[in-house]
Amino acid sequence: SSGINAEYGDFSTLESARISPLARQLFRIDGVTRVFLAPDFISVTKDDNEQPWNTMKPDIFACIMDFFSSNQPVLLDEATLESTSSINDDDDETTIMIKELLDTRIRPTV
């Protein structure tokens, strides 16, 4: 489930993160299981059975830095959300990646 209050987001699945391009990108990192966004911080939770933090931190940091250099919104507004490609439970990784690219790279420039 996702909680949203204008500037906050709590996402426990890739589907719940559909309103946040940043959270969607963070979920692509192996081991990420939850993302919490607030105006002044980002919290990333990992699966205990996955990689150790020291191998995940560089990918998480790079993802966050790349995201903020792209000037995308952290959370999408309702009008933008309605025009995005929704991710379905039966989408494979390639389909999800294509939909994310459309939403985060192609549509913002059109």
Side-chain angles (χ1 to χ4, degrees):
S1 72
S2 70
I4 180 87
N5 178 0
E7 299 174 357
Y8 296 86
D10 186 10
F11 310 102
S12 58
T13 65
L14 181 59
E15 174 57 26
S16 70
R18 67 189 183 94
I19 63 170
S20 173
L22 174 56
R24 284 197 317 256
Q25 290 182 18
L26 287 166
F27 270 110
R28 298 194 57 78
I29 298 170
D30 286 338
V32 172
T33 59
R34 185 176 211 108
V35 177
F36 180 79
L37 306 172
D40 57 351
F41 73 90
I42 299 167
S43 173
V44 177
T45 305
K46 75 175 199 70
D47 183 342
D48 291 335
N49 300 325
E50 293 291 330
Q51 306 175 42
W53 276 116
N54 62 350
T55 60
M56 293 177 67
K57 280 183 198 176
D59 290 338
I60 292 169
F61 183 72
C63 177
I64 292 168
M65 295 305 292
D66 289 346
F67 179 83
F68 283 110
S69 69
S70 74
N71 292 320
Q72 295 179 62
V74 173
L75 298 172
L76 301 174
D77 59 26
E78 288 301 317
T80 306
L81 184 58
E82 289 173 7
S83 69
T84 61
S85 302
S86 61
I87 297 171
N88 302 315
D89 290 338
D90 60 346
D91 286 347
D92 60 24
E93 271 300 306
T94 303
T95 303
I96 291 170
M97 184 172 29
I98 290 169
K99 287 180 177 181
E100 286 179 359
L101 287 171
L102 284 170
D103 290 343
T104 61
R105 301 278 191 239
I106 308 300
R107 286 196 179 103
T109 62
V110 175

